[in-house]
Amino acid sequence: MEVLLYRWSTMAQLVSDTMIMIFLVVLYRSVRRPELRPHVWAWTANFVALSITVGYWVFRPEQYWLRKLVATLYVSMKMSFACLLIVGVAALSGRIVRGRRIGAVLLACLAYGIFVALTYQSINQLGVYNAAGSALLLWSAVALILREQPPAWSWLAAGFAVRAGFASVEALAYLSQLTSVAWLPPDLVEPYLAAHSSFDGAAEWMIALGCVLTMYRIIAAELAHSHQEMSAAKERMRELAESDMLTGLANRRTLMPALRAVRPQGASILFFDLNDFKQINDRFGHQMGDDCLKRFAQVLRANFRPGDTLIRYAGDEFIVIAPGMRPESLEPRIAAARVELGKAGADTPAIRFSVGLSFLEIDGDVDAAVAIADSAMYKQKQEKHLKSA
């Protein structure tokens, strides 16, 4: 009866692990994540180990060397399964193990399989070697998960802990067949050994679920990070598109949105134009002209509020939008800027300017307000030109 139960249990585990293996292969081919590769290899190794067991029942080899070969392959594949799962846990924690190290791990599993095949004297002894080795490796995986704590690690840790627990009990059960273990009732040991593969299969589904959940959380975190980076890049591109590269002020593209934003509260509009800017370029060169524009922008920043919008409108023309302020209250700021710019800077000549003011009434006509400021600026510029003439 126990033999039939053992074979049924092992076949159930083989079917279960085949489904897990196929699922992981399809998932890996879909997402192409390197973290999944060792898990695919692990479940393939477990599939091979269980297939060897089924093949042994079917063909019942009598040759001594063939039985030793079967034992070597079975134990090697079981140890490879556990070791590759550890490699998979490391991969899910962000540490991808490359080819040579994996090759060394698999060679160590093969060496252990050869050792077991050469030394075991009975099926029970073979079971102790196999279950104890698996338990040790699986508990090591639990320790690695608890240390690294990859995303959604609780399910992964639970699956490994349950599977390691079953392997530990299996090792003790096989050991009780070789020597007396007082606290293990014999009437429970044999049924457990006959059915343990079905328990192992259930625990392995927990491991597979934990792997998928962890992979999902990793991908979700990467997508969220990519979204943040794309949003930041989009914001940076918007800033570049709306900024004047020379002065660092806003450019002409921001004028109408800024005016629409202040319509509900009203705002003063100042339209600046540098006087004799062409002569500065002709006399000192365009680099000096650029330096004058930079200095003018700095003085505007220093004399207007942080909440005011400063725009380089075109060439040597600048616009300031001061929400909630009347034009007359801005005269001291204009005067301070005129005094500061009227003195030669460290690397620039004195800068003189004309300015026109207008007031955008609450919900007023923004185009008309800009046109009034522009007209007032040109009127002041013309008056200064006539006086200098």
Side-chain angles (χ1 to χ4, degrees), residues 268-273 304 318-321 327 330-331 334 338 353-359 369-381 384:
S268 287
I269 299 174
L270 299 87
F271 207 122
F272 292 89
D273 182 271
F304 288 89
F318 295 80
I319 291 178
V320 174
I321 302 172
L330 294 171
E331 291 293 347
I334 297 171
R338 200 182 296 279
F353 62 84
S354 299
V355 59
L357 287 80
S358 68
F359 186 73
V370 172
I372 291 171
D374 186 21
S375 177
M377 179 272 292
Y378 273 106
K379 182 178 179 181
Q380 186 181 106
K381 193 177 187 72
K384 290 183 178 180

Side-chain angles (χ1 to χ4, degrees), residues 221-283:
E222 289 180 355
L223 288 174
H225 180 68
S226 297
H227 177 71
Q228 291 176 353
E229 288 186 337
M230 290 179 63
S231 298
K234 183 179 179 181
E235 180 63 21
R236 178 58 180 160
M237 290 178 65
R238 185 192 64 79
E239 291 175 357
L240 290 174
E242 296 179 353
S243 297
D244 176 59
M245 298 300 293
L246 179 64
T247 63
L249 302 182
N251 63 23
R252 187 169 183 163
R253 292 166 58 95
T254 65
L255 176 60
M256 296 312 295
L259 288 171
R260 285 194 291 268
V262 298
R263 283 185 74 224
Q265 65 186 110
S268 287
I269 299 174
L270 299 87
F271 207 122
F272 292 89
D273 182 271
L274 275 60
N275 296 335
D276 303 322
F277 184 68
K278 184 177 183 302
Q279 284 79 350
I280 293 176
N281 281 328
D282 293 343
R283 182 179 177 184

Side-chain angles (χ1 to χ4, degrees), residues 163-209:
R163 182 64 179 84
F166 285 147
S168 301
V169 173
E170 180 185 343
L172 288 173
Y174 276 117
L175 183 63
S176 72
Q177 302 295 294
L178 300 173
T179 183
S180 176
V181 180
W183 50 273
L184 280 179
D187 57 338
L188 294 180
V189 169
E190 290 185 3
Y192 177 79
L193 288 176
H196 75 83
S197 290
S198 58
F199 300 133
D200 293 346
E204 287 163 3
W205 271 107
M206 289 183 65
I207 294 175
L209 175 61

Side-chain angles (χ1 to χ4, degrees), residues 256 263 269 359-372:
M256 296 312 295
R263 283 185 74 224
I269 299 174
F359 186 73
L360 174 64
E361 299 289 347
I362 295 176
D363 295 330
D365 187 333
V366 295
D367 292 322
V370 172
I372 291 171

Side-chain angles (χ1 to χ4, degrees), residues 7 19-20 28 40 56 82 97-98 118 120 142 153 200 202 206 211 269 271 277 283 294 309 330 357:
R7 292 185 177 181
M19 294 172 63
I20 294 174
Y28 172 70
V40 172
Y56 184 81
V97 181
R98 300 299 178 182
L118 293 176
Y120 86 95
V142 174
W153 61 271
D200 293 346
M206 289 183 65
C211 170
I269 299 174
F271 207 122
F277 184 68
R283 182 179 177 184
K294 292 177 184 178
T309 302
L330 294 171
L357 287 80

